[in-house]
Amino acid sequence: REAHLASPACPRKMQAISMRVQAPTFASGVAPAKFGSRQAVRGKAVASRRVVPKAEVKRVTRAVATKAEIATETATEVNDNTDNVLGIILGGGAGTRLYPLTKTRAKPAVPLGANYRLIDLPVSNCINSDINKMYCLTQFNSASLNRHLSQAYNNNVGSYNRQGFVEVLAAQQSPKNKDWFQGTADAVRQYIWLFNESKCDEYIILSGDHLYRMDYKPFILKHRQTKADITVSAVPMDEERAAAFGLMKIDDTGKIIDFAEKPKGDALKAMAVDTTILGLDAERAKEMPYIASMGIYVFNARAMEKLLMEEFPGCHDFGGEIIPNAKDLGMHVQAFLYDGYWEDIGTIKAFFDANLACNDPEKAKFSFYQTGAPIYTQSRFLPPSKLLDAEVSKCTIGDGCFIKKSKLANAMIGLRTNIQEDCVIEDAMIMGADYYEETHECEDLPGCTPIGIGAGTTIKRAIIDKNARIGMDCKIINKDNVQEANHEDKGYIIKDGIVVICKDAIIPNGTVI
């Protein structure tokens, strides 16, 4: 997401680099897996990796004779197969910017778009790009994330001949390392032994808190065509937004030659590039003369191991240390332009705005409805939502909801939401519930408030986390326009003027926030 200047805190390790003996290649093109290895255990149709060069080149030479000379034209075709690409999704740290949504769950497990979770986006992008081997690295509150991934994907990824998996890798102690993940690169370093077992030639590094839909095949193809060691996906930026991002400078071939972290003034102007080199038309290139890193990378497997284990074992971050140092080391670091919708939703305001923006089909920059590239999630087998005498405009409503005689405008309503009569929900995100609560379960408890939104309640510009119990005649409207407040003991926090009701919170009847 950000490209920083190289840090002197992680000096290059000076040592001789031993040459690795390549595995033998058999007539079938397959190197056998060791007995009991991860490939054998997974029961793949192919025992181990199929040996495919990084860039398989087929040359077709055609000679054209003229009176004075013979011109030879060579066409180059690069293999775009993704069987040997491993997806590595970075779950991020504690997710403090999204707190309290990350109080009891990892950031990639935060609910999104009524039916989904954040992790569904990079996983779906991988599946739609024919990448079916994925790991998600996390070290905070990974229980709900692990449960979601195991229930949503493990029986559905790949096919009979191309079996795949989606697994969570949590931080753990080992004889060599007794620390937590110290950064994005350190997280990958601690599991590099496992990634090597996949026998994949390339690793695609993804982030778990971005909202975008992307076909990774052109990205990987560009990496192979340019014979790069590392390729960084970038988005074009205008001058107003560029100062808030880590920027990159490229030469006339798209090779990255410089990095700058949130530059200002003359330093910002110095980072301007000709974005037509990466495919923008002349008019848009004039409007957007900067490129910012998306925090998405393709690495050659050997380059990754060399950088993390041999050259810079003390560096912990990809964007700030490893990639700038790789450039200084002389490695080929290439830029790839993604000219589509991409949003970092790592803050409460960005998360809230991005969700509600999906409600208006005329203004929405991202849609969950696209036949050719669907967003997948868990099959929950819930009943259809039921609306009784409700007035609804510009809303997205998830599965299994019950809404009675209420008014909803520009709202995102999550799974199993129960909204009783005479409620007003405007510019709000209701995440729903993890389970249905039978009427007698609450009635049998004195003073019990049912899960959902009680009758006569008004909610405006707020996020209601899962399993919250909102009483009757409440007003969650931030009537004093408070921008920041922490009342977690009362069940809510205010960030950027948005009221966030915590998961499992109980808001008594008649409460005014």
Side-chain angles (χ1 to χ4, degrees), residues 24-142:
T25 302
F26 294 83
S28 62
V30 176
K34 294 179 180 179
F35 180 77
S37 69
R38 196 171 188 85
Q39 293 78 20
V41 171
R42 289 196 182 283
K44 289 190 174 183
V46 177
S48 182
R49 73 163 178 169
R50 183 167 299 279
V51 181
V52 179
K54 178 181 73 173
E56 182 180 317
V57 180
K58 300 177 182 177
R59 302 189 185 278
V60 180
T61 304
R62 181 181 61 201
V64 180
T66 65
K67 290 182 180 180
E69 62 184 4
I70 297 178
T72 302
E73 181 180 312
T74 301
T76 303
E77 182 182 330
V78 179
N79 188 301
D80 65 351
N81 187 291
T82 55
D83 284 349
N84 274 357
V85 179
L86 178 70
I88 302 173
I89 303 169
L90 302 176
T96 53
R97 296 186 302 164
L98 272 177
Y99 192 87
L101 301 181
T102 53
K103 181 180 179 180
T104 59
R105 58 170 77 94
K107 188 160 50 174
V110 172
L112 172 83
N115 279 357
Y116 307 93
R117 293 180 185 258
L118 281 173
I119 190 66
D120 291 328
L121 295 170
V123 171
S124 297
N125 285 335
C126 282
I127 293 173
N128 293 332
S129 304
D130 292 332
I131 298 170
N132 60 4
K133 297 181 285 289
M134 289 161 269
Y135 288 108
C136 180
L137 303 182
T138 184
Q139 64 182 352
F140 291 96
N141 295 327
S142 58

Side-chain angles (χ1 to χ4, degrees), residues 380-387 397-403 415-417 436:
R380 299 178 178 89
F381 308 107
L382 292 173
S385 291
K386 182 180 290 186
L387 285 71
I397 300 176
D399 299 337
C401 299
F402 179 82
I403 302 170
L415 301 162
R416 306 182 188 89
T417 294
Y436 285 118

Side-chain angles (χ1 to χ4, degrees), residues 200-262:
C200 288
D201 295 323
E202 291 145 334
Y203 303 145
I204 182 166
I205 310 296
L206 307 169
S207 179
D209 60 351
H210 295 166
L211 181 63
Y212 70 109
R213 179 185 275 104
M214 181 177 178
D215 181 0
Y216 298 134
K217 278 191 173 181
F219 184 24
I220 294 167
L221 190 61
K222 176 60 115 178
H223 175 79
R224 294 172 180 173
Q225 287 173 338
T226 57
K227 300 181 181 180
D229 296 298
I230 306 168
T231 302
V232 181
S233 187
V235 288
M237 287 279 171
D238 55 28
E239 186 169 346
E240 183 179 355
R241 297 180 62 201
F245 287 85
L247 304 181
M248 301 174 292
K249 195 164 187 176
I250 57 174
D251 63 14
D252 56 5
T253 66
K255 185 177 179 179
I256 298 173
I257 57 175
D258 198 10
F259 297 88
E261 165 59 16
K262 299 180 181 179

Side-chain angles (χ1 to χ4, degrees), residues 388-421:
L388 302 179
D389 300 323
E391 183 181 335
V392 179
S393 62
K394 291 184 180 177
C395 294
T396 302
I397 300 176
D399 299 337
C401 299
F402 179 82
I403 302 170
K404 182 179 180 181
K405 295 182 180 179
S406 294
K407 181 179 180 181
L408 284 68
N410 192 28
M412 183 73 69
I413 309 298
L415 301 162
R416 306 182 188 89
T417 294
N418 184 357
I419 300 176
Q420 293 301 312
E421 62 269 14

Side-chain angles (χ1 to χ4, degrees), residues 104-106 109-110 117 141-149 503:
T104 59
R105 58 170 77 94
V110 172
R117 293 180 185 258
N141 295 327
S142 58
S144 62
L145 177 64
N146 202 358
R147 182 170 58 248
H148 175 74
L149 290 178
K503 186 178 180 182

